[in-house]
Amino acid sequence: FRRVLFRSPLVPGALALTVLGRSRAFALNARGSAADVGVWALGYGFGALLVTVLGHPLRVAWMAHMYRVWDAPDGRGPERYRHAGTWLVAALSWGAAGLTAFAPELTRWLAPPTFAAAAMVTPAVAWAYVLRELAEYFRNGLLVARRTRALALLEPGLAVLDVALGWALVVRAGLAGAAATSVLVFGVYALAMHGAARRALPVGYAYGRMLACAGLGFGLGLA
């Protein structure tokens, strides 16, 4: 019974998260052109490589060890938990910087010239996924603390925001609006999960180091 109570709030969250990353394509299909949908799909696929190559493997590895890290008998669980977040941001930021730098080449090698605009979509999607993976790291803190009820409200609310904001910005700005929605929504997701995790789990995150890693990666990619 306790396991059911622990897991039940994850169900609406899982359903809501299926919306993220897909609503922009529906909005573009309804309010844009077929060309915009194709450019978005290609750029999104390149940007999502960050999750395929780095994000998902790191998340699975961390979930396999986070309970043991937190419950370490030497009492250094919170410290190690904090370090894991810093290394996660560093790895993802450098991955996003690489995708940002090589997005034009990837687009030119793998698609005809009519898809050149996908090179501008890829960086936005990659950095949006940096924020999403950071949100997942904070979200895992709720699992460690066994405080999952917040997810039943936060994640469906995020899905509603994603659909509403994506539709509004796509109508106004097309592809640029879709790219902006990705960054904004996952930024809100990261902030919301961070707030919930801070109330549930006593960890002093290394904000300065996280920002330094992300800022350096973003600056190099932009340059």
Side-chain angles (χ1 to χ4, degrees):
F1 182 71
R2 289 181 178 179
R3 291 181 179 179
V4 172
L5 289 178
F6 176 74
R7 295 173 182 173
S8 59
L10 304 180
V11 175
L15 294 174
L17 290 178
T18 61
V19 175
L20 301 180
R22 296 171 175 83
S23 64
R24 267 79 77 200
F26 286 114
L28 284 169
N29 187 53
R31 305 296 296 183
S33 64
D36 285 342
V37 175
V39 168
W40 172 259
L42 182 65
Y44 186 90
F46 288 152
L49 286 173
L50 183 76
V51 178
T52 304
V53 176
L54 280 177
H56 182 69
L58 289 175
R59 192 188 328 139
V60 170
W62 173 239
M63 290 185 71
H65 294 283
M66 62 185 184
Y67 293 100
R68 186 176 63 183
V69 167
W70 183 257
D71 295 328
D74 60 3
R76 295 181 61 191
E79 178 185 351
R80 294 192 179 99
Y81 201 97
R82 179 179 70 247
H83 289 331
T86 304
W87 282 109
L88 175 69
V89 171
L92 293 172
S93 297
W94 281 93
L99 284 171
T100 300
F102 289 102
E105 282 72 21
L106 283 172
T107 306
R108 188 163 51 248
W109 293 339
L110 300 175
T114 51
F115 286 86
M120 302 303 295
V121 173
T122 298
V125 173
W127 285 100
Y129 270 115
V130 172
L131 293 170
R132 174 168 178 170
E133 291 302 316
L134 180 60
E136 292 288 342
Y137 165 75
F138 291 134
R139 182 180 186 271
N140 286 336
L142 297 176
L143 302 183
V144 171
R146 295 170 175 82
R147 300 273 295 275
T148 58
R149 290 184 181 179
L151 299 178
L153 295 175
L154 288 176
E155 290 175 338
L158 183 74
V160 173
L161 174 66
D162 182 63
V163 172
L165 187 62
W167 189 272
L169 293 183
V170 165
V171 169
R172 289 178 176 271
L175 279 171
T181 301
S182 297
V183 177
L184 290 173
V185 168
F186 286 135
V188 171
Y189 187 28
L191 289 173
M193 289 297 109
H194 169 264
R198 279 301 300 264
R199 289 190 292 270
L201 206 66
V203 175
Y205 300 104
Y207 299 112
R209 292 181 180 180
M210 286 181 173
L211 288 173
C213 292
L216 180 61
F218 184 80
L220 288 172
L222 187 63

